[in-house]
Amino acid sequence: PGSRPGTPVQEIVRDLFAEVLGLPRHQVHAESDFFRLGGHAPAAARLLSRVRRVLGTDPGRRALDEAPTPAAFAALTGDAPAAATGPGATAGDSAQFSVRLRGALDTRVLEAALKDLGRRHPALRNSRLGSAGTRLRALSAGEHLLELALPADSVDLWSQLPLAAELARAYGARATGDDTDDTAHHPAAARDAAPRAVFGDTAPTRLPGSTPHPGDASYSTLHSELDATVHAQLTGLAAAHGTTLFMVVHAALAALLHQLGALGPVTVAAPVPARDSTALRAAVGPYARVLALTVDTRGEMAFTELLRQVRERDLAAYRDGRAPLAALPGGIALSVLQEEAGPVFEAAGLSVRAEHCTPPLPAADLALTLTERQSPAGTPAGITVTASFCHQSIGETAAALFTGRLTAVLRSALETPGAPIGRLRLTDTPDPATAADGEMWTGTDSKVWAGTDSGVWAGTDVPLTGPDVASLFAAQVARAPHALALDGLDYAELDARSDLLAHALIEHHAGPGTCVLTALSSPAGFTVAAIAVAKTGAALLPVDPSLDLAASLHPAVLLLDETADLLLPAVPGAARLVREDATEPLPPAGHWPLTAADRTRPPRSGDPLLLLPGQDGTVAVGSEAVTAATLAAPADAAWLVHGYPDGDTAIGVLSTLACGTRIHVPDASLARDVPHEVLGWLRRQGARVVLGGADDVLCALVCLARGGDAGLTVSGGWAEGRLVVEQLPGAPARPAPGYRAYLLDPLLRPVGPGRTGSLYIAGAGTARGYTGAPGAGGERFLPDPFGGPHHTTARMWRTGRAARLDADGGLHVLDGPAHDDPFADASATFVVLADPAGHRALWPAPAAVPPGWYESHPEDRYELCLDHINGHLGDPL
């Protein structure tokens, strides 16, 4: 049998031969004669036309007469020998080859044949039956499988068939007593082989958020499938644009990296054979080179334009023997292979056939291999997508997500190949606007790649839905009723006091759908009130009574201390309750637990936990922050509030009690404006979470904690978007579990290392929106393009501020917007996106639509998009 093509150009020509002649690929070899395969003058004319379109060159009318085989024809079109092979960095230490043996097997002859091969090939030196890495498995009486583990740097994928052929020759020679040294490595192969490059020239583009590739990396693989229909469509797209399937996938991969924030040129590592001669095609050895294929994705080009650029760049690299090689390890690698029926080699009554193999792959963070299958008639039969990933640099979740997004981009390109690359979908989820009535639709799960160099500053991803605050608190009371909640107040007493207050609030019509205003400076009084309001199902509205109250707020109850009662004017329709200190004795009658039947109505999932004054209206905050706190390591809190507690303190109090920990209140002897004294007091109390406190004191505390031996958790930001930050000793600050911040470019992609981007807050710190103001919500609460698997169709809050990440991972918020903030660009155009819950949001027109959202209004000016949102009943808030 003939040999497989030995260069990428030979592979392209072989595929064109098979296409024009209507043959399966495995019937066309590098040495197959076009005319002996059935070619005639009309077929030759069709082939030359396809060659001109795909290879971009005209070899002349008599090219097939001069070079009738794929190998010869490729050379005629400018296929130059490789000047260097490699580099040799591989994912793992070994390559796995399997050879199926059918017939009467003599194991002694097989052992002798393996020894012969070992003398000729260093890679096979230790391949003896029973030795490590060599196993012979009996499948049946007349069928065996020989499995060989060979050093990864001594072979390549294209060694598989030559290995089976040499094994057959060696076995046949030993079985028949033929002393001819037919297994000797071809001298011409060694002579023809290009020298091995130790280092590459260009580093492949890294997956945004991946960590540097370690020296002792470990790898695993994931598999997925594209069916025959998609395979045929991709093949048709490639043919329509004069490209190959590899080029289509290469363009999709570059488009995906572009959407994920890769800046400037995108480079992919591509292993290709470097076996241009007959001798090399028949040789066992590492005769491959890993090309660095680079395209420029800057600018909002169409996918078809990117595909044209990919075709030009890939062909130029294939034909250039001195094309840049990939600098490994790290980055992303791509291969597109053909699964072919391997030829059968006969050897003294034994048939030898190469089976499946696990070839050596370049040491990339993620190596993607797409293996095409063909039917017996040569039609597309599906594609297996294999993702080999490095555990230490990206991990399984990111590898699976990235692979899924690549297939989604391919499908999107099939639907609209002329679409801008930034608008190709990253999910296979159908558009809800076109879904059938009653069809269940949800967005695809996704996960943030967190890293200080990816424009994403994120804590551990946790689910943000769960029991309500009252249920979480009740569980802690049941677990440890006598544990202290505050000084002098245990959980059982706090439960009893809050029940009494909750009954009083309900008598004044507080409940789900209403809010209770509190102005209580006492730590115990505020804590009892916060739990009581949560038990009623009403929203808590903590205020400073010295400030004006928004006219749009209509609380059911005002819950005040004596000072606040003097400062706060009457609110029409609101009951006014003045509370003494919550530590006064309980009534002797005991405990009146609050039940669900006592509430004014059952709570709903959309009911807010808090209402807070924000930049553009009243902010509705859900229970997500409290839920996230219960999934982190429990820690005591410290009350450092000056005056009246705000919404941030309220969330901290409820989170502390939902976790079953304690709030420590300092006495008057602690100088709260002296950071060293405060940090010492925190250490003595064993408290780590800070509630309240002046900004300058909190900044100093964080700096002291970083250099000391105490952990610290502080919070702050805006009512619409807050961050909880953990500072561990000697480590960079990081967000607490569930909290995320993004630094994004004009297309809402994470910015690269050291760059300034627009700041967005996501995750547990994001409020639900503005009450009764869909327009204000739609221009500030935007779809979260990186929402994790627990936050399908989640939203992020646009701060309107610029920020940057330091090299050590510190987040610095700057004054004013980023210079390229699309929302500050008067000439920018937008679309309106919607999700299944009815939320609507502005979105820059050139940016990719996030998973789970769809366009509800086409590209338009900012004001007109905003009018569309305001004209909708839309947002549930």
Side-chain angles (χ1 to χ4, degrees):
S3 61
R4 285 180 175 173
T7 70
V9 179
Q10 289 182 16
E11 290 178 338
I12 293 173
V13 175
R14 184 276 309 271
D15 292 351
L16 293 176
F17 271 37
E19 174 192 321
V20 169
L21 295 173
L23 296 174
R25 290 194 193 101
H26 69 85
Q27 293 184 14
V28 184
H29 309 296
E31 299 85 7
S32 296
D33 186 291
F34 179 79
F35 299 105
R36 292 184 180 180
L37 289 172
H40 42 64
R46 290 197 303 272
L47 176 66
L48 293 176
S49 174
R50 292 287 287 129
V51 165
R52 285 190 289 270
R53 181 162 174 75
V54 175
L55 294 179
T57 185
D58 187 354
R61 294 176 58 188
R62 300 190 56 81
L64 280 171
D65 296 321
E66 300 170 14
T69 69
F73 196 97
L76 191 66
T77 61
D79 192 17
T85 61
T90 57
D93 299 326
S94 64
Q96 309 291 328
F97 289 90
S98 298
V99 180
R100 188 174 295 268
L101 308 172
R102 283 195 175 98
L105 175 65
D106 188 328
T107 55
R108 290 179 299 174
V109 173
L110 178 61
E111 179 71 54
L114 287 172
K115 288 181 180 178
D116 289 340
L117 293 183
R119 285 194 292 269
R120 307 306 189 269
H121 302 297
L124 295 162
R125 185 169 297 144
N126 296 318
S127 297
R128 296 188 298 273
L129 294 181
S131 66
T134 305
R135 182 169 65 163
L136 182 64
R137 291 199 295 149
L139 304 179
S140 65
E143 190 166 10
H144 294 77
L145 192 68
L146 177 64
E147 297 173 334
L148 300 170
L150 308 179
D153 58 356
S154 299
V155 291
D156 58 22
L157 169 66
W158 298 272
S159 295
Q160 185 188 21
L161 288 186
L163 174 61
E166 285 212 35
L167 178 63
R169 285 197 298 269
Y171 184 90
R174 282 290 182 174
T176 61
D178 187 352
D179 293 332
T180 304
D181 188 6
D182 211 12
T183 62
H185 189 61
H186 287 274
R191 185 172 61 247
D192 295 346
R196 191 76 172 274
V198 178
F199 304 106
D201 307 294
T202 306
T205 299
R206 290 176 53 196
L207 185 69
S210 62
T211 57
H213 196 286
D216 56 345
S218 59
Y219 300 86
S220 295
T221 57
L222 299 170
H223 301 279
S224 57
E225 293 288 333
L226 295 174
D227 62 27
T229 301
V230 174
H231 186 187
Q233 291 172 341
L234 292 171
T235 302
L237 177 64
H241 293 274
T243 63
T244 65
L245 179 61
F246 175 89
M247 295 172 186
V248 171
V249 179
H250 181 190
L253 181 56
L256 174 56
L257 289 168
H258 169 79
Q259 285 204 35
L260 295 178
L263 301 174
V266 171
T267 299
V268 172
V272 298
R275 297 165 172 260
D276 57 280
S277 70
T278 303
L280 281 171
R281 287 194 294 273
V284 177
Y287 305 121
R289 55 177 178 161
V290 185
L291 296 175
L293 302 179
T294 302
V295 293
D296 193 346
T297 58
R298 289 175 294 190
E300 201 54 29
M301 68 180 72
F303 181 78
T304 49
E305 174 60 21
L306 177 60
L307 186 56
R308 183 197 61 77
Q309 183 192 151
V310 164
R311 174 180 170 274
E312 292 178 357
R313 301 287 180 88
D314 289 1
L315 284 175
Y318 294 162
R319 289 172 169 146
D320 184 0
R322 299 186 179 277
L325 302 178
L328 300 170
I332 298 179
L334 175 65
S335 302
V336 174
L337 308 174
Q338 289 83 37
E339 181 181 79
E340 301 174 0
V344 176
F345 304 97
E346 297 297 336
L350 188 72
S351 67
V352 179
R353 183 173 186 170
E355 290 279 328
H356 57 83
C357 72
T358 303
L361 294 172
D365 297 321
L366 180 65
L368 296 165
T369 303
L370 280 73
T371 305
E372 295 185 82
R373 297 186 300 278
Q374 281 192 324
S375 70
T379 59
I383 300 173
T384 298
V385 182
T386 302
S388 174
F389 62 91
C390 173
H391 283 277
Q392 291 79 5
S393 58
I394 65 168
E396 181 175 2
T397 303
L401 174 61
F402 188 87
T403 306
R405 283 180 165 174
L406 176 61
T407 60
V409 168
L410 285 169
R411 293 176 190 270
S412 183
L414 286 173
E415 296 171 9
T416 54
I421 58 175
R423 303 296 297 279
L424 297 173
R425 288 196 320 272
L426 300 186
T427 171
D428 284 333
T429 308
D431 188 337
T434 60
D437 290 342
E439 178 182 348
M440 182 63 184
W441 182 87
T442 57
T444 297
D445 287 349
S446 57
K447 178 179 176 61
V448 171
W449 287 299
T452 57
D453 61 352
S454 67
V456 175
W457 200 51
T460 306
D461 198 17
V462 296
L464 299 183
T465 57
D468 60 28
V469 172
S471 299
L472 291 169
F473 175 73
Q476 299 304 330
V477 174
R479 181 184 64 84
H482 301 301
L484 283 180
L486 286 89
D487 297 338
L489 189 64
D490 63 22
Y491 272 82
E493 186 176 353
L494 176 57
D495 185 42
R497 291 182 180 279
S498 60
D499 275 338
L500 288 174
L501 179 56
H503 280 291
L505 294 174
I506 290 173
E507 287 177 6
H508 291 90
H509 311 294
T514 69
C515 74
V516 174
L517 182 150
T518 62
L520 300 165
S521 57
S522 160
F526 181 79
T527 300
V528 171
I531 290 295
V533 173
K535 287 181 175 182
T536 70
L540 177 66
L541 174 63
V543 302
D544 183 335
S546 64
L547 302 178
D548 292 336
L549 188 66
S552 60
L553 293 172
H554 303 288
V557 181
L558 309 181
L559 192 56
L560 314 173
D561 62 17
E562 293 180 346
T563 301
D565 185 40
L566 297 174
L567 294 174
L568 199 68
V571 176
R576 196 179 187 96
L577 302 181
V578 179
R579 292 279 294 165
E580 298 296 330
D581 196 310
T583 58
E584 63 187 21
L586 280 170
H591 187 198
W592 290 282
L594 191 77
T595 66
D598 296 322
R599 292 191 177 119
T600 57
R601 69 161 171 81
R604 302 182 185 126
S605 60
D607 291 335
L609 178 68
L610 289 92
L611 292 180
L612 306 173
Q615 291 190 356
D616 296 311
T618 301
V619 180
V621 177
S623 60
E624 292 82 3
V626 176
T627 303
T630 63
L631 299 171
D636 283 3
W639 181 280
L640 298 182
V641 177
H642 289 266
Y644 288 87
D646 57 11
D648 188 67
T649 302
I651 293 174
V653 166
L654 292 172
S655 298
T656 301
L657 299 176
C659 294
T661 50
R662 177 181 174 183
I663 300 172
H664 298 268
V665 181
D667 58 29
S669 64
L670 178 66
R672 301 189 188 190
D673 56 349
V674 181
H676 284 281
E677 290 193 22
V678 173
L679 186 62
W681 176 77
L682 291 172
R683 285 198 187 101
R684 292 192 297 274
Q685 304 305 316
R688 195 184 73 205
V689 179
V690 176
L691 306 177
D695 289 345
D696 56 344
V697 173
L698 292 179
C699 290
L701 283 174
V702 169
C703 293
L704 291 172
R706 181 182 301 130
D709 58 358
L712 197 67
T713 300
V714 298
S715 59
W718 300 264
E720 297 91 335
R722 60 192 288 273
L723 285 173
V724 176
V725 179
E726 296 177 337
Q727 179 62 66
L728 301 178
R734 66 181 186 187
Y739 289 85
R740 306 196 295 277
Y742 307 141
L743 279 66
L744 306 183
D745 69 7
L747 295 178
L748 302 187
R749 304 169 305 184
V751 300
R755 290 187 57 202
T756 297
S758 297
L759 176 65
Y760 298 79
I761 308 298
T766 307
R768 294 181 176 175
Y770 297 110
T771 59
E779 61 180 333
R780 298 305 290 261
F781 289 90
L782 309 180
D784 180 355
F786 317 103
H790 310 298
H791 331 292
T792 301
T793 69
R795 290 188 286 179
M796 61 183 183
W797 185 65
R798 176 172 64 88
T799 68
R801 302 279 288 276
R804 68 170 183 270
L805 287 171
D806 282 350
D808 64 355
L811 178 69
H812 290 264
V813 182
L814 310 177
D815 290 331
H819 73 280
D820 56 0
D821 186 343
F823 291 90
D825 182 359
S827 62
T829 58
F830 296 81
V831 296
V832 177
L833 301 184
D835 74 353
H839 302 126
R840 281 173 168 76
L842 287 175
W843 194 254
V849 176
W853 295 77
Y854 63 96
E855 288 189 19
S856 68
H857 184 69
E859 183 174 355
D860 215 331
R861 290 186 291 114
Y862 189 103
E863 296 80 6
L864 296 179
C865 288
L866 204 57
D867 289 345
H868 173 79
I869 295 176
N870 281 319
H872 255 276
L873 297 177
D875 199 303
L877 295 172

